[in-house]
Amino acid sequence: MREVNIKLNHSLEKAISILDCFSLDTQYQTIENICKLVNIPKPTAYRLLYTMETLGLVHYNAEDSTYCLGMKMFGYGGIVLQRLNVIHAAAPYLTALHHKTGFSVLLAILESNHLVYIDKRVTIEGIGYTSTIGRFRDPHYGALGKVLMAYLEDSKIEKILQTSPLIKYTDFSITDSAAFLEQSRQIREQGYSIDNEEVILDVTAVAAPVKNKWDQVIAAVTIVGPKSKMHEYSISEIIKDVCHSTELISVELGNKTH
């Protein structure tokens, strides 16, 4: 995001804060709850909600007096997805990886300091790993988060960790910032990351970066599955498969370094 010496529009900030109240886990909100979350008086919330309702950004449910995101937001989401040509470039390689290994394959980006899933090929066999497209995760979440953050400057990583501290998901999670930075340097050197039960017990993942024609990391691909089956398949083979696929996707996007 650019740093520009311009004051933000406070009304627009409040309206967007209201939109931020909605998520995949909380799709419906009452005006009372919105007021609490955004810390604004009810008349202000009602005025902003009614304006957004009129514009199709939110929808009012008269049956239970709740609000949800409107269909216009769906249209905006489609426009953003069209801009992300990495989805189109990666699609056949995600499918090939999924068919070859039999494990779940995910594609994600780092957007506004959040990890966001943008495509997937999921194995039906449950592993307790939620991967809804469009879902926001902490930027350092799992193998995808680690590899995407690894290619940022150390100062940027440190700044993100200040606002999104490392979380102890399991006893194997990295919770020390210095250790995370050291691992990030190692990931840059080797070109991939491994999550071995750091987010979910008995789940292993391997991720590698996707680069554009300017050699910038713009996305990452991961293979994720039960730890025992991943090791039975061979972690070294999975690393080769993921790295080879991301190299091919990068070439599709104009990268000449591979």
Side-chain angles (χ1 to χ4, degrees):
M1 185 176 67
R2 297 182 299 160
E3 293 185 5
V4 183
N5 188 25
I6 296 177
K7 290 184 178 180
L8 299 179
N9 185 295
H10 294 308
S11 294
L12 185 57
E13 274 189 302
K14 290 176 182 176
I16 292 174
S17 294
I18 289 175
L19 295 177
D20 286 341
C21 292
F22 301 96
S23 68
L24 288 169
D25 296 323
T26 311
Q27 298 188 31
Y28 299 91
Q29 294 278 15
T30 63
I31 191 170
E32 290 79 13
N33 202 38
I34 289 171
C35 290
K36 291 178 183 177
L37 291 170
V38 184
N39 193 27
I40 56 176
K42 194 170 182 178
T44 301
Y46 183 78
R47 185 177 69 253
L48 292 171
L49 283 164
Y50 182 71
T51 300
M52 290 190 284
E53 179 187 349
T54 302
L55 297 173
L57 297 175
V58 299
H59 174 73
Y60 177 69
N61 305 289
E63 296 81 3
D64 57 2
S65 299
T66 60
Y67 292 86
C68 62
L69 295 181
M71 288 302 295
K72 198 154 192 178
M73 301 299 293
F74 180 77
Y76 289 148
I79 294 170
V80 174
L81 288 176
Q82 285 294 324
R83 177 170 58 83
L84 295 172
N85 60 339
V86 65
I87 296 176
H88 177 74
Y93 300 101
L94 301 184
T95 301
L97 266 180
H98 178 58
H99 287 166
K100 180 179 181 181
T101 65
F103 298 116
S104 293
V105 180
L106 309 175
L107 176 68
I109 59 173
L110 202 59
E111 179 69 24
S112 300
N113 294 342
H114 287 91
L115 175 72
V116 187
Y117 301 121
I118 59 174
D119 205 358
K120 64 179 180 178
R121 305 290 184 272
V122 179
T123 300
I124 300 300
E125 182 179 351
I127 56 172
Y129 197 104
T130 304
S131 56
T132 307
I133 292 176
R135 186 184 184 94
F136 280 47
R137 292 284 197 186
D138 288 315
H140 41 71
Y141 189 86
L144 283 169
K146 290 199 298 180
V147 78
L148 286 168
M149 285 189 64
Y151 287 85
L152 302 174
E153 294 182 358
D154 283 359
S155 59
K156 176 66 172 176
I157 296 175
E158 291 173 342
K159 188 174 180 180
I160 290 176
L161 292 181
Q162 288 176 359
T163 56
S164 300
L166 295 165
I167 298 172
K168 184 178 180 179
Y169 296 103
T170 73
D171 289 340
F172 302 100
S173 301
I174 295 176
T175 56
D176 179 72
S177 296
F180 186 87
L181 279 167
E182 181 57 36
Q183 188 182 68
S184 295
R185 298 185 188 106
Q186 181 183 347
I187 290 169
R188 285 196 297 271
E189 291 177 6
Q190 64 191 23
Y192 62 87
S193 69
I194 298 177
D195 168 8
N196 197 17
E197 299 188 277
E198 293 174 34
V199 169
I200 302 172
L201 289 175
D202 299 320
V203 172
T204 295
V206 176
V210 174
K211 299 179 180 181
N212 62 16
K213 63 181 179 180
W214 297 285
D215 210 34
Q216 300 166 327
V217 173
I218 58 169
V221 173
T222 188
I223 289 180
V224 57
K227 178 181 177 180
S228 59
K229 292 191 175 182
M230 291 276 282
H231 283 270
E232 182 181 333
Y233 183 94
S234 172
I235 292 296
S236 61
E237 284 301 311
I238 289 174
I239 291 171
K240 290 179 183 177
D241 290 340
V242 174
C243 290
H244 182 60
S245 295
T246 53
E247 288 174 2
L248 292 175
I249 296 169
S250 298
V251 171
E252 289 276 350
L253 294 171
N255 189 278
K256 306 295 184 182
T257 61
H258 297 295

